[in-house]
Amino acid sequence: METRIVEVEEFKVKGVGMIGPLSEIPGKWDVLNKELAEKGIVTEESFGLCLAMKDGEIHYIAGIKSNLAEGLENIEEAVVPAGKFIVAKVQGGVHAIQTAFTVLMETDGIQLRNCFSFERYIHPKGSDGFEIEVWLAIE
């Protein structure tokens, strides 16, 4: 798996949050995408933030950058802190996300930073498809 190191400035993500089993995540994306379509909000990227995981439950936000989220209802916001991330493109679609995170965590020569990880979905204008990247905070 090809990786790259990216350093980002802090940014905020707003979206549909949940605390529950992983199986509930696709439904949160359905809610977000429906609301984005209803409000006419178009964005070229979206984010799946994994804020915490404990006892089989995940605290997750399916969202977009806050500056684009004007008018969204019942949303949760989180700050992605500035810093370095190791990034990899996910091969195999949504079902391969967990495997990609596992491989990244086992990468030699990196030290994980105390921060949540996230997925970045890239969907260029005029395209029905999307690419997925996984982002893991490192020192």
Side-chain angles (χ1 to χ4, degrees):
M1 177 167 48
E2 233 177 272
T3 63
R4 69 185 193 278
I5 305 295
V6 177
E7 191 153 354
V8 300
E9 296 295 319
E10 172 183 293
F11 65 94
K12 294 179 183 177
V13 171
K14 286 184 180 179
V16 180
M18 62 158 277
I19 297 176
L22 289 170
S23 61
E24 290 182 12
I25 291 174
K28 300 307 173 189
W29 281 105
D30 291 343
V31 170
L32 176 66
N33 289 329
K34 180 180 178 195
E35 191 165 352
L36 292 176
E38 287 172 356
K39 303 247 189 272
I41 298 171
V42 178
T43 179
E44 292 187 21
E45 63 183 350
S46 53
F47 301 89
L49 306 182
C50 176
L51 300 174
M53 198 159 207
K54 185 178 179 184
D55 301 327
E57 289 196 331
I58 187 170
H59 183 186
Y60 185 89
I61 298 175
I64 60 176
K65 285 193 174 175
S66 293
N67 62 317
L68 301 171
E70 186 92 15
L72 293 183
E73 299 172 13
N74 301 315
I75 58 171
E76 188 173 338
E77 182 176 62
V79 175
V80 176
K84 288 184 185 177
F85 290 82
I86 186 169
V87 181
K89 187 174 177 180
V90 175
Q91 303 294 331
V94 173
H95 300 292
I97 290 171
Q98 188 57 51
T99 300
F101 272 124
T102 301
V103 170
L104 272 187
M105 284 187 245
E106 295 171 352
T107 301
D108 287 336
I110 64 163
Q111 182 178 346
L112 298 180
R113 179 167 50 107
N114 187 17
C115 179
F116 55 84
S117 58
F118 63 91
E119 306 117 39
R120 177 177 176 237
Y121 297 87
I122 305 159
H123 26 86
K125 286 183 183 176
S127 172
D128 289 338
F130 59 89
E131 292 181 5
I132 307 169
E133 295 177 337
V134 290
W135 290 58
L136 195 60
I138 60 171
E139 293 293 336

